[in-house]
Amino acid sequence: MTQYPHGHVFYRKLTRDYPTIVRGAGCWLYDATGRAYLDGCGGAFVANIGHGVREVADAMAAQASRLAYVSGAAFTHPAVEEFARALAALCPGDLDHVYPLTSGSDAIEAALKLTRQYWAETGRSAKQTIIALAPAYHGNTLLALSASAREHYKSYYSGWLVEVVRVPAPYPYRCACGGTPPFCPACSGDALEEAIVRVGPERIAAFIAEPVGGSSTGASVAPPPYWRRVRELCDRHGVLFVADEVLVGAGRTGTWSSLQPYGVVPDVLVLGKGIAGGYAPLSAVVAPQRIADVFARGSGALLHAQTFSHHPVSCAAGLATLQYLASHRLVERCAAVAPRFHRAVAQLADLEIVGDIRGRGLLAGIELVADRTTRAAFARWAHVAERVTDAALAEGLVVWPNVGHADGINGDLVMLAPPFVVTEEEIEQIAARLRGALARVTSELSASGEAAGRS
Ligand code: PLP
């Protein structure tokens, strides 16, 4: 274990102990003392193909020894050409031009800038407004953070953020209709249409959304007609639809794009996290030629130049990851083991603290509540999600916590997103270890009377 100020690392959290992980293999991580942890969330929804894949490491080493870096402003190279070709072949509809970047936030910034520049290049510079959902999370750089409805991340920076028009997210567990017809305005898309009409389509550049909820709504799935309505509204009003699939894309929900089951193609698709399996920081903005052509005929470039865009070693990692996914049929495997995974996780529903379990593919959110009848969230001061995450780690299981989704401040959930190579036995272990963690926190809460500490 290591804790600040030991050493020279400015850690993400300066108040906790960090196990030192020295090795990973498949779904497992090993620390310096030899202790094993079952990686139930792919680190941060990233390690989709599992840890320790030799083919990806070899491809990166070969690329680094051949050519580590050239500027994307001056040169192209085989790694980016082949990665873009392979990625475009997987993307739905006409999405066929790939702009590789490094982080999800970075790619969201680029995608949103792309929409504004696109309209300016077509002579419609008044189209600047972004519409986004609440809850939503799109990243931590300032434009991506502006588009996010995550108030506790914004607290110190509010004066630096731009205004984004917000509509309620389709969130069946916490909205009026519960996700069944007749749908409430959030789930029907009426809330989006109302916002478009109120602001005026002539002022709107883009609507951005996560097609399956990421951490912000804990794998919440909208009623199926929702995304077709979004597509129809965006088409009718001339609004670009940006799908943020940083977390749920690249096969995580059992199809390459999480919009595929609805037959919906966004105007701009943003990918990140799993596209290079965590072997290199890699994200991508994917746009169709009809959009890229506007830039080609106009100013000639998307104004989002970055030193490490189109990076050879990152693209080699991305290409090797896509090849590994294909040769091991891992997206198909993700879809095939999903029912077993959801059956195992659904068994946690008998625990008093569990309000809802949902998700798709190898992605699940477990929402934790103080009262299952009223769906009342725990008070934030009880730190329930963090305690469950710590208790899971003590059980040798890594899960992802999220807070604030119930009302912007309160709300606790944990998420599971194991690598696509997870075995049935590992799925059972994930469920059993999480059960142990949830039971422990439940008994701590009732022993201290904190269950009454509702929001
Ligand atoms: N979009 C979504 C849906 C995310 O979940 C995240 C990160 O969790 C981001 C964007 C930002 O990605 P990154 O953390 O790589 O900057």
Side-chain angles (χ1 to χ4, degrees):
M1 291 281 187
T2 305
Q3 184 170 7
Y4 174 82
H6 178 85
H8 296 275
V9 179
F10 198 144
Y11 294 109
R12 291 263 295 258
K13 288 201 175 103
L14 301 172
T15 51
R16 57 159 289 176
D17 283 335
Y18 282 98
T20 304
I21 300 298
V22 292
R23 189 167 70 82
C27 294
W28 294 88
L29 297 168
Y30 300 91
D31 75 13
T33 68
R35 186 161 181 229
Y37 303 81
L38 188 43
D39 189 354
C41 59
F45 315 91
V46 169
N48 289 4
I49 62 172
H51 300 278
V53 174
R54 184 93 231 166
E55 289 88 327
V56 181
D58 287 348
M60 292 173 71
Q63 180 61 50
S65 54
R66 224 174 16 249
L67 170 70
Y69 178 79
V70 284
S71 168
F75 296 106
T76 189
H77 50 81
V80 71
E81 295 292 339
E82 286 168 34
F83 168 64
R85 188 178 312 116
L87 184 55
L90 289 165
C91 290
D94 58 356
L95 294 162
D96 63 352
H97 280 73
V98 176
Y99 198 109
L101 287 152
T102 50
S103 72
S105 304
D106 186 9
I108 293 291
E109 298 276 330
L112 292 175
K113 286 179 176 171
L114 179 153
T115 65
R116 181 162 174 176
Q117 191 181 336
Y118 170 86
W119 291 117
E121 302 239 3
T122 54
R124 303 180 70 184
S125 353
K127 283 173 80 68
Q128 300 187 1
T129 300
I130 297 163
I131 302 184
L133 297 175
Y137 181 61
H138 298 296
N140 239 330
T141 50
L142 294 180
L143 185 57
L145 188 58
S146 302
S148 303
R150 188 164 282 194
E151 300 318 312
H152 54 289
Y153 279 19
K154 296 183 177 181
S155 49
Y156 294 112
Y157 312 120
S158 53
W160 290 351
L161 303 175
V162 301
E163 204 177 307
V164 165
V165 172
R166 219 155 273 296
V167 297
Y171 185 1
Y173 184 63
R174 294 213 169 267
C175 66
C177 70
T180 52
F183 296 125
C184 63
C187 284
S188 66
D190 285 354
L192 174 60
E193 178 158 37
E194 186 278 323
I196 293 174
V197 171
R198 177 168 38 85
V199 175
E202 68 288 351
R203 292 184 49 217
I204 301 169
F207 169 62
I208 182 168
E210 302 157 78
V212 171
S215 53
S216 58
T217 55
S220 185
V221 180
Y226 181 78
W227 297 106
R228 284 196 298 280
R229 179 90 194 279
V230 165
R231 183 66 276 178
E232 183 265 314
L233 288 172
C234 289
D235 286 341
R236 179 143 49 92
H237 293 289
V239 170
L240 292 174
F241 172 27
V242 178
D244 177 352
E245 297 208 33
V246 168
L247 192 154
V248 298
R252 172 53 63 191
T253 62
T255 49
W256 181 260
S257 158
S258 63
L259 282 169
Q260 260 156 284
Y262 313 118
V264 169
V265 180
D267 297 294
V268 181
L269 176 65
V270 186
L271 296 165
K273 291 189 181 279
I275 51 168
Y279 290 81
L282 184 66
S283 59
V285 176
V286 191
Q289 187 167 348
R290 67 184 153 83
I291 288 184
D293 273 350
V294 168
F295 290 75
R297 284 196 302 266
S299 67
L302 168 65
L303 273 184
H304 189 73
Q306 294 216 337
T307 302
F308 292 123
S309 78
H310 306 73
H311 190 275
V313 180
S314 297
C315 289
L319 177 64
T321 301
L322 298 185
Q323 289 168 341
Y324 192 84
L325 281 165
S327 60
H328 291 75
R329 299 183 60 75
L330 287 184
V331 178
E332 294 83 344
R333 184 163 199 289
C334 170
V337 298
R340 175 73 184 255
F341 170 69
H342 286 282
R343 268 199 309 281
V345 180
Q347 286 171 18
L348 301 171
D350 64 331
L351 296 167
E352 198 51 36
I353 194 175
V354 173
D356 190 37
I357 301 175
R358 66 261 173 162
R360 204 165 84 201
L362 283 174
L363 181 70
I366 297 115
E367 185 153 346
L368 309 172
V369 290
D371 185 322
R372 301 219 281 188
T373 311
T374 62
R375 303 184 176 186
F378 288 103
R380 186 75 291 273
W381 53 258
H383 291 125
V384 173
E386 295 90 333
R387 282 159 73 166
V388 171
T389 305
D390 288 346
L393 201 63
E395 300 267 342
L397 173 69
V398 189
V399 300
W400 188 263
N402 190 65
V403 303
H405 44 274
D407 59 13
I409 296 168
N410 303 294
D412 296 87
L413 58 83
V414 289
M415 294 184 75
L416 295 171
F420 303 171
V421 293
V422 68
T423 63
E424 296 195 346
E425 206 251 310
E426 286 164 342
I427 286 174
E428 297 308 325
Q429 281 199 47
I430 289 172
R433 292 179 189 210
L434 184 52
R435 172 176 288 278
L438 290 166
R440 186 149 123 202
V441 173
T442 308
S443 62
E444 279 170 21
L445 289 169
S446 51
S448 62
E450 282 175 273
R454 292 175 192 150
S455 55

